[in-house]
Amino acid sequence: MFHSPPPSKPAVLRRAGAILLAALAVGSSRPAAAETADDIVRSWLETLRATGLTVETGAITYQPGADTVEVRDLKVTTRSIGALPALVQRTPSVFFAGLAKSPDGVISAKSIVIAASAGQSEDGRISIAIGGLDAADVVMPKSPDVSYDPNRPFSAQLIYLRALLGARASTARIGRFDIAMTPKEGQSVSVSYDGLTLVGLADGKIERVTSGAGRITSTLRDPKAGAPVDFDIRIGSAQISGYDFGAYLHIVDDAAYVNGRGDGVWRQLQASASAEGISVSAGPAEFSIAKAEIGSFELRQFDTPISDILDQIKVDPKYF
């Protein structure tokens, strides 16, 4: 149950982030003492493959003077899930600096830098572009044991989310993020953000997320008239503070329901959120908002677990 409806997030955006989620949540079980920095990267790539991702690379080289490992021509392909096609993400180079590995398989890095990355779905209807990623003081928890079940795709994501409770980063910055989709003939959706910055990821919580200018555009057909209607939403800047994805996990993870029943306890998902310079146009209608603010947002468990329903929705979009 919710105090107010949670913001809707298209499933494909969750898939667009699936590669990053999987990458942060995996490690290797080989003894740290036997591995050099480039060995650590190679074993990390093997654990990515073990989760069901197809991973291909070019050269992997270690630069001792900078204590940096470079992975060239990284290509990661996800599985198709239900109506969502497989995604292929290509990254020309990834730099890991100051790599270390604990005896229990937890990998850390002083920094991870990606100059740019681009992806596309196998059917060509989805494209993704990331204009650079720079993360500092990163801790990537040990890989969870995953046995992929195509009939339970949402539950498989929960395994990674549980592992991400142990992820850490002092900062992570994305220069620009763009995604474009054409779900059906004559329909299109695009989302873009400049300057996404995350501060203070630890223990399943994010201290702050900020973004520069953002824009969402879409073209949909009027179900009555059949004519296309254009939507254009622009935001000058936005910020979310005190986000707790552990609270979200507590709602959707069956394991959090004691004896299969909800506990009725309200948990804070975010402390606050704000956006400035908002303008919206939908066909001939237009309006603008100088600033919008939302305070604490809380949610609580349902009476019974809901992951079975969410699995069915992801497998069959016409479930309802």
Side-chain angles (χ1 to χ4, degrees):
M1 297 178 64
F2 301 93
H3 273 317
S4 56
S8 175
K9 297 181 179 179
V12 70
L13 289 177
R14 290 193 294 271
R15 282 295 307 287
I19 293 174
L20 179 59
L21 289 176
L24 284 173
V26 297
S28 171
S29 59
R30 291 170 58 187
E35 292 179 309
T36 62
D38 49 328
D39 283 334
I40 293 173
V41 170
R42 288 186 175 91
S43 64
W44 171 74
L45 293 171
E46 283 304 315
T47 58
L48 281 178
R49 295 183 178 103
T51 66
L53 298 173
T54 301
V55 181
E56 303 169 60
T57 72
I60 299 175
T61 57
Y62 177 61
Q63 302 168 12
D67 190 20
T68 299
V69 177
E70 179 185 9
V71 179
R72 292 177 177 250
D73 301 322
L74 175 63
K75 177 184 174 183
V76 180
T77 305
T78 69
R79 292 185 177 96
S80 59
I81 298 178
L84 294 175
L87 294 171
V88 181
Q89 192 76 18
R90 291 179 170 85
T91 306
S93 62
V94 184
F95 292 90
F96 299 85
L99 278 167
K101 189 172 182 180
S102 70
D104 61 353
V106 175
I107 295 174
S108 62
K110 291 181 180 178
S111 68
I112 300 175
V113 178
I114 298 172
S117 182
Q120 189 173 48
S121 63
E122 291 187 332
D123 63 2
R125 291 181 177 271
I126 304 169
S127 63
I128 304 164
I130 299 173
L133 167 68
D134 186 344
D137 305 318
V138 179
V139 174
M140 301 177 284
K142 188 176 179 180
S143 171
D145 294 326
V146 178
S147 178
Y148 182 76
D149 183 347
N151 294 316
R152 296 184 64 83
F154 182 83
S155 295
Q157 293 178 7
L158 294 181
I159 296 172
Y160 293 110
L161 282 176
R162 293 187 201 116
L164 281 171
L165 294 175
R168 291 178 177 269
S170 60
T171 59
R173 298 182 179 88
I174 296 176
R176 183 176 174 87
F177 174 81
D178 294 275
I179 181 168
M181 298 168 280
T182 55
K184 296 180 180 179
E185 190 69 30
Q187 298 182 359
S188 65
V189 180
S190 67
V191 180
S192 64
Y193 281 98
D194 283 323
L196 283 167
T197 301
L198 177 153
V199 176
L201 167 64
D203 302 321
K205 299 179 180 179
I206 300 172
E207 181 182 333
R208 184 172 66 256
V209 178
T210 60
S211 78
R215 186 179 184 185
I216 302 172
T217 62
S218 66
T219 300
L220 302 174
R221 289 199 174 275
D222 185 315
K224 294 182 179 179
V229 179
D230 294 326
F231 295 84
D232 190 343
I233 303 172
R234 304 188 188 209
I235 300 173
S237 62
Q239 177 171 300
I240 297 174
S241 298
Y243 186 84
D244 183 358
F245 60 79
Y248 165 76
L249 187 61
H250 193 79
I251 305 304
V252 298
D253 188 356
D254 288 5
Y257 286 72
V258 179
N259 297 323
R261 302 295 300 177
D263 59 17
V265 177
W266 292 99
R267 289 172 173 81
Q268 181 175 275
L269 179 65
Q270 69 180 33
S272 64
S274 63
E276 299 185 5
I278 305 167
S279 67
V280 179
S281 67
E286 297 182 0
F287 67 90
S288 61
I289 301 172
K291 185 175 183 178
E293 294 181 311
I294 301 174
S296 174
F297 185 88
E298 298 180 339
L299 40 73
R300 66 181 180 183
Q301 290 180 333
F302 292 84
D303 291 336
T304 56
I306 61 170
S307 67
D308 284 345
I309 295 173
L310 297 175
D311 280 324
Q312 293 179 63
I313 291 172
K314 289 185 72 69
V315 171
D316 180 8
K318 297 180 180 180
Y319 173 74
F320 286 119

